[in-house]
Amino acid sequence: MKNTLFTGMATAIVTPMKNDGSVDFEAMGRFIDFQIENGINALVVMGTTGENATLEPEEQKEVIAFTVKKTAGRVPVIAGTGTNNTAHVLENTKNACEVGVDGILVVTPYYNKATQAGLIKHFTMIADASEVPVILYNVPGRTGCALTPKTIAALAEHPNIVGLKEATGNMSQMVEIMNLCGDKIDVYSGEDALTVPMMAMGGAGTISVLSNIMPAQTVAMTDACKAGDFKTAAAMQCKFMPLINALFSQVNPIPVKAAAAALGFGDDALRMPLTPMEEPFRTAMFEEMRKLGMNV
């Protein structure tokens, strides 16, 4: 097994903002402490949930640098650096490495897409250039571009490609990937609804949206999985499902941004074209949060 960046629960953190659209670094600092103090195993900054698509490159670098400094080595920090332009990914990766991240998360190229051979070349170039380990991110529902299990297995041979965030929601594909890759790569669920099933099949954990607002509870769930207590973990997965569904009732990160704001971390503000959560979805989500003990 290559070096493992983390096992268990990593939060794909939101980027708290003010109503004028600027990054709220004061709220972000408190949010990072909240995550770490509640036992989260890693932080993923500038992913989809962090609204990386609408932050300028210098803003992204500033947010990543702030996260690394605030985290101060308490947990690994993994930065999203992927775009649909290989040259831009290389530049983003260089910037992230310069500010001290522990790993990078690289999504498949969206819109212009690529062939499987092109994807192998794309990710190989990035892994060759990166000073830190690489986690592949497979989310064709957003990108329109999927890594096949055979392509993932080929990329798993690269010494600097150590993980996969698998967000297809296809359990049979996840099992095929694990079968083809063996211990050459850590497989993480990119779907909160599949944390326990994935870990029961040998997955290393989850890169989560839910843990933004429930870090301690979600860590307890993955801890139970790591301890082999899947009965307890499964009961927790079922208990959390109504809130998970509510968090994806509108496009991520719209709901989780509203939830984080309700807990005191920034305004309920997003960069356009994303807009605040609408009714009746908002009321329904807050009701599920209250059922799980949150004061909103």
Side-chain angles (χ1 to χ4, degrees), residues 265-279:
F265 300 110
D267 294 326
D268 185 9
L270 304 104
R271 294 274 179 97
M272 287 287 290
L274 299 183
T275 52
M277 196 176 192
E278 301 161 8
E279 295 292 355

Side-chain angles (χ1 to χ4, degrees), residues 275-295:
T275 52
M277 196 176 192
E278 301 161 8
E279 295 292 355
F281 306 104
R282 177 184 294 268
T283 295
M285 180 181 71
F286 285 169
E287 178 60 27
E288 295 303 333
M289 290 172 70
R290 285 189 285 270
K291 287 178 183 178
L292 292 171
M294 283 171 264
N295 185 22

Side-chain angles (χ1 to χ4, degrees), residues 221-254:
M221 180 170 62
T222 54
D223 282 350
C225 290
K226 289 191 283 186
D229 185 1
F230 288 104
K231 182 176 180 180
T232 296
M236 297 173 78
Q237 179 84 78
C238 292
K239 181 180 179 180
F240 300 156
M241 280 306 301
L243 180 54
I244 291 169
N245 290 335
L247 284 169
F248 292 94
S249 60
Q250 292 198 289
V251 175
N252 179 53
I254 288 172

Side-chain angles (χ1 to χ4, degrees), residues 11 13 28-37 40-45 63-78 99-102:
T11 301
I13 57 173
M28 189 163 194
R30 290 188 290 107
F31 188 64
I32 290 167
D33 283 338
F34 166 71
Q35 290 290 316
I36 296 171
E37 289 164 6
I40 208 69
N41 301 120
L43 294 174
V44 177
V45 61
V63 170
I64 294 167
F66 178 88
T67 303
V68 170
K69 184 177 181 180
K70 184 66 177 177
T71 300
R74 290 177 287 173
V75 297
V77 174
I78 300 158
V99 300
V101 299
D102 299 287

Side-chain angles (χ1 to χ4, degrees), residues 122-188:
H122 172 79
F123 283 109
T124 298
M125 289 177 67
I126 295 159
D128 285 346
S130 178
E131 298 173 10
V132 296
V134 178
I135 298 176
L136 311 173
Y137 184 10
N138 196 28
V139 59
R142 277 192 179 266
T143 64
C145 180
L147 288 162
T148 67
K150 288 183 179 179
T151 296
I152 293 165
L155 288 167
E157 298 294 333
H158 194 290
N160 207 28
I161 294 176
V162 303
L164 167 72
K165 180 181 178 183
E166 174 62 18
T168 63
N170 184 334
M171 276 299 298
S172 63
Q173 175 164 303
M174 296 175 191
V175 173
E176 184 179 358
I177 290 165
M178 291 177 184
N179 181 50
L180 290 174
C181 295
D183 64 356
K184 295 176 182 177
I185 198 168
D186 287 317
V187 180
Y188 303 101

Side-chain angles (χ1 to χ4, degrees), residues 108-119:
T108 52
Y110 41 84
Y111 188 71
N112 49 0
K113 307 183 185 180
T115 65
Q116 295 302 302
L119 290 172

